[in-house]
Amino acid sequence: MSAVAAAADAFETAADAGDAIAAADALRAITQAARTPGAARDAVPALASRLARIAAESSESSEGSDSRALPGYLPDLLRALRNACAGDRDATDAACLGVAPVPNALRRLIPALAAESEREEIAEEGRGPEREASKASNASNASNASNGTTNPAAMALVVAMQLAANATAGGSDAASSRLWSELWPRAASCVAQSRLGFVANGAHPPLCMMAHARCERIIGRGAKGSDASTRGDETAHSRGGWSAPEPPTNVGSVCGFEAGRTVWIPLLEASCDPAMAPWPGAGGGEWLHRFVARACVFSGEFAPQLCRSLAPRAEETAANRDNRLRAKILTAGGPGGSDEDEDDARRRRAAAFGDAARGDDEDHSESFSSVQATLLHLIREEVSSAPAIDPDASLGYDGPESHLVLCEGTLSYLLDATSRAAGVVEAVASAKLVEESAEANAAAARCVLEECLGIWRVVTEREVKPRIVQTPGDVVSAACAMGLPRLLLALVAAMPPPTGAGQTSKASGPAAAPRLNPEHVSPALLAEGHPPFPRARPWPGYRVDCIAPLANAMFARPSVCDQVAKLGGVAIVLAATRGEDGDDYLREWALWGVRNLCAGSDAARGEIERMQPQAAADSQQLAAMGLNVEVDPGTGKVRVGSVRRGPGGGEESGENGEIGEETRGPIPGAGDSRAPSAGSVPGGLLLGPEGAKTPAGRAAVAALMAGLDVSREAGDGEDDDDAFEAPPNWKVADLS
């Protein structure tokens, strides 16, 4: 008889006799032997049978989770099964599909252990300083899930979840599905909602490991030990599966409505709870990040469903929307035909389907929660650190899908979430009376909007090989084809044009930057097709968060540049080059966008060229004041000088384009107390209450204030560009 078989017999004898110490010693021997894969396989049936008996006795007790029904050797029994199933598919199948299946036993034990651990924690609250010292010791041992607790139920709960994770990942499809259907999501929710430091640190990571293994099987990647990897299924590996997640209404769905409400919301809240900071595994730890990477990045298509399941009243909202859509479809083409009024159609649907077709818009619109922002932040981190090609793609496969860091379904959802969140932020900001629930929804929407823009930024910052750009494998091109440029431009166009940064925004008089006409900077086309977007900056740097991904998306993508130019985005990007206080590096990002726009679009370059000054619109008024303004048609450069009277009494310009003035005397409005009033100056050009009226006029005012001497004769060389000689130590760059 082998040592493992002898230890199993000794355990059975001691357990039947009620000798917990001898039973625990025999189980430790099996656990030690199980460190070698397959060595403890023969002991699995006996261990599973004993675990099933304990679970049955526990459920038959008066309270269903009485600590007297849980033997002291239960943690050791679970450890022996955990080690025996680790890496051994046959042992896992024997445990999950045998006469006494482990999944059924765990379904009964996990809620009982969670409740018992909570009761023991409450009982310890009266211990005072001794309890505080124990908690400090537990936190100091948080990295070791097997130490730092005196709560046997908590220890057993942690090991039970580790056993469930091993069986889900290492068993056959039948064994894994059996265990999943028994534990998810109701038994798993008892673990996810626990805020005991030791339980959260030790049990949350195996819970995320279970979900990760389930996603592996659904996507079809052939996780270790699955049927697909054993039989060499080429179809399952060639393109990574791309199987859609189960419907969210399924009780056993990884990201269904029930799982989102009872499992994922508590886990995500625990992952960012400051009170759980001493416990690195709380919320799932590293395995939460692995799950997000597997489920939401590259071929993972779970992000939209998971994010929707985290919203308040998610299931009720989805049901209302489905009923409303069904009523609209089934009553389409009624007696009124195409001429039927919308109100009449709504009443007809209500008469046919009752409350299903009635209801307010609030009942059919998705709300937001801070937990959604937490999930989007995790997705952002995984996208930022993701490799260029899907690491799980089969060897040698380099198709388009392997380069898409986010699948098309996720891109579409992010576009919709960005638009809806921006609409909610503006709706609450512009409302006169706001309910408390609406304020909470707006605060969550602001966080969601910030994380969505952050995802767009890291997506567009990813390095894409030239052979992939503007192909089906380019995630940026895919997002732009769905409307990303229009969305980003609309977010910027909804706000007033930038007023300038630093001294430019504080200057007054002729030195102040002219105000931009919103009608020219914000095309009316961008205000259609979406709810009103924020007209005020929701947070500092908001404009940069919108311009930066747009500028990145235009790099080396002529089709995106043409799309931006067609939407009227040239003026929006150019206006951002002024910068604005509170949006650090806005000017730099806008210049990067102008560079990419001009490099990729002939239409954008032509539009910018047409913006150059052509002539001085107020030349007659300037001449009447003794000033002459010339515009170089080639460069658009404006040159200001004085008018020189010719021998015949006419006006002449100086040589080499310089302008002279023969008449001496004070300049109107240049500090002379006898200067004419605003009405005596033609057009009120210099002395009007609003200053100069045209760019050329403003240039003339700025030249006068800078000290231009219009009384000097032309040709004396002081103001002649051609006569200037640069010092020998200067480096002159040719900017032509």
Side-chain angles (χ1 to χ4, degrees), residues 53-269:
R53 187 182 306 177
I54 294 173
E57 293 174 355
S58 143
S59 62
E60 291 174 359
S61 62
S62 58
E63 297 181 2
S65 57
D66 191 352
S67 60
R68 293 171 296 181
L70 301 176
Y73 59 80
L74 179 59
D76 294 295
L77 174 59
L78 292 169
R79 281 195 197 94
L81 278 170
R82 177 198 66 188
N83 287 11
C85 293
D88 190 342
R89 174 173 172 170
D90 293 336
T92 303
D93 289 353
C96 295
L97 304 176
V99 177
V102 168
N104 185 42
L106 291 178
R107 177 178 59 82
R108 299 180 178 184
L109 280 175
I110 288 176
L113 292 172
E116 178 61 23
S117 61
E118 293 285 348
R119 279 197 296 269
E120 293 187 9
E121 183 71 12
I122 294 175
E124 290 180 358
E125 289 182 354
R127 293 172 56 189
E130 182 181 357
R131 179 177 181 271
E132 295 299 324
S134 176
K135 289 177 64 178
S137 175
N138 292 350
S140 64
N141 292 301
S143 59
N144 188 350
S146 62
N147 294 324
T149 184
T150 58
N151 190 331
M155 175 67 70
L157 180 60
V158 170
V159 181
M161 290 307 305
Q162 294 171 350
L163 167 61
N166 284 350
T168 304
S172 63
D173 287 344
S176 178
S177 298
R178 173 71 181 275
L179 182 67
W180 180 265
S181 63
E182 292 285 358
L183 301 185
W184 192 270
R186 292 168 186 174
S189 65
C190 300
V191 178
Q193 296 171 11
S194 176
R195 286 298 180 269
L196 299 181
F198 177 80
V199 173
N201 185 70
H204 287 179
L207 187 58
C208 293
M209 183 181 175
M210 282 182 60
H212 178 276
R214 182 65 176 176
C215 288
E216 286 278 2
R217 295 180 184 274
I218 293 175
I219 295 175
R221 291 286 175 166
K224 185 177 181 181
S226 67
D227 292 340
S229 61
T230 304
R231 65 176 182 266
D233 191 344
E234 296 294 336
T235 303
H237 291 280
S238 61
R239 293 184 54 183
W242 287 79
S243 299
E246 304 125 314
T249 52
N250 289 1
V251 175
S253 177
V254 179
C255 306
F257 292 125
E258 184 173 353
R261 183 180 66 255
T262 61
V263 177
W264 293 117
I265 288 180
L267 284 178
L268 290 168
E269 288 177 344

Side-chain angles (χ1 to χ4, degrees), residues 252-570:
S253 177
V254 179
C255 306
F257 292 125
E258 184 173 353
R261 183 180 66 255
T262 61
V263 177
W264 293 117
I265 288 180
L267 284 178
L268 290 168
E269 288 177 344
S271 68
C272 56
D273 187 356
M276 306 301 292
W279 307 93
E286 179 62 26
W287 273 105
L288 177 62
H289 290 267
R290 293 189 184 186
F291 166 76
V292 172
R294 173 69 280 181
C296 305
V297 180
F298 283 115
S299 57
E301 300 182 0
F302 291 79
Q305 184 172 301
L306 178 57
C307 204
R308 288 192 177 100
S309 70
L310 304 177
R313 303 185 304 109
E315 189 170 5
E316 179 182 354
T317 301
N320 290 338
R321 294 179 65 180
D322 290 344
N323 291 336
R324 190 175 186 180
L325 178 61
R326 186 180 300 108
K328 189 172 184 178
I329 293 175
L330 295 179
T331 58
S338 59
D339 297 333
E340 184 178 15
D341 184 75
E342 178 63 25
D343 294 336
D344 294 338
R346 187 181 298 109
R347 284 191 293 269
R348 182 165 52 83
R349 289 194 295 268
F353 291 90
D355 295 337
R358 202 176 284 113
D360 300 330
D361 291 337
E362 295 182 358
D363 296 333
H364 307 88
S365 59
E366 297 180 13
S367 302
F368 295 96
S369 68
S370 59
V371 185
Q372 290 177 312
T374 303
L375 173 64
L376 292 172
H377 183 77
L378 293 176
I379 296 176
R380 176 182 178 180
E381 291 182 346
E382 295 304 322
V383 171
S384 179
S385 60
I389 300 179
D390 188 355
D392 293 323
S394 59
L395 184 63
Y397 177 71
D398 193 23
E401 295 88 352
S402 63
H403 294 272
L404 287 177
V405 68
L406 294 176
C407 68
E408 294 182 354
T410 301
L411 295 176
S412 177
Y413 174 78
L414 287 174
L415 288 171
D416 177 66
T418 305
S419 177
R420 288 189 297 105
V424 171
V425 171
E426 172 59 20
V428 174
S430 59
K432 295 182 179 179
L433 296 177
V434 182
E435 297 180 358
E436 184 177 354
S437 59
E439 289 183 354
N441 187 35
R446 178 195 170 281
C447 296
V448 170
L449 176 60
E450 188 171 2
E451 293 301 335
C452 286
L453 291 175
I455 293 176
W456 292 125
R457 187 162 178 174
V458 298
V459 165
T460 57
E461 287 175 351
R462 286 174 56 83
E463 183 178 357
V464 181
K465 296 180 180 180
R467 66 182 180 87
I468 301 299
V469 174
Q470 297 193 118
T471 68
D474 184 8
V475 64
V476 178
S477 296
C480 291
M482 298 179 184
L484 177 60
R486 182 187 181 93
L487 173 62
L488 297 176
L489 289 172
L491 291 172
V492 179
M495 295 182 293
T499 57
Q503 296 300 325
T504 304
S505 62
K506 302 174 184 178
S508 59
R515 293 185 177 274
L516 299 178
N517 189 345
E519 295 181 359
H520 298 159
V521 179
S522 304
L525 178 65
L526 295 175
E528 302 174 356
H530 57 76
F533 287 159
R535 290 174 291 179
R537 190 170 50 196
W539 63 83
Y542 170 75
R543 204 186 296 262
V544 173
D545 291 339
C546 298
I547 290 291
L550 180 66
N552 290 333
M554 291 187 292
F555 177 70
R557 296 179 179 89
S559 61
V560 179
C561 296
D562 290 336
Q563 185 179 355
V564 171
K566 185 177 180 180
L567 291 170
V570 175

Side-chain angles (χ1 to χ4, degrees), residues 620-657:
Q620 294 182 357
Q621 290 89 337
L622 290 170
M625 295 172 51
L627 296 176
N628 187 18
V629 177
E630 291 184 351
V631 179
D632 188 337
T635 63
K637 182 178 180 181
V638 179
R639 306 182 68 178
V640 182
S642 60
V643 176
R644 184 181 62 184
R645 300 294 177 181
E651 299 175 356
E652 296 181 358
S653 60
E655 296 179 1
N656 299 324

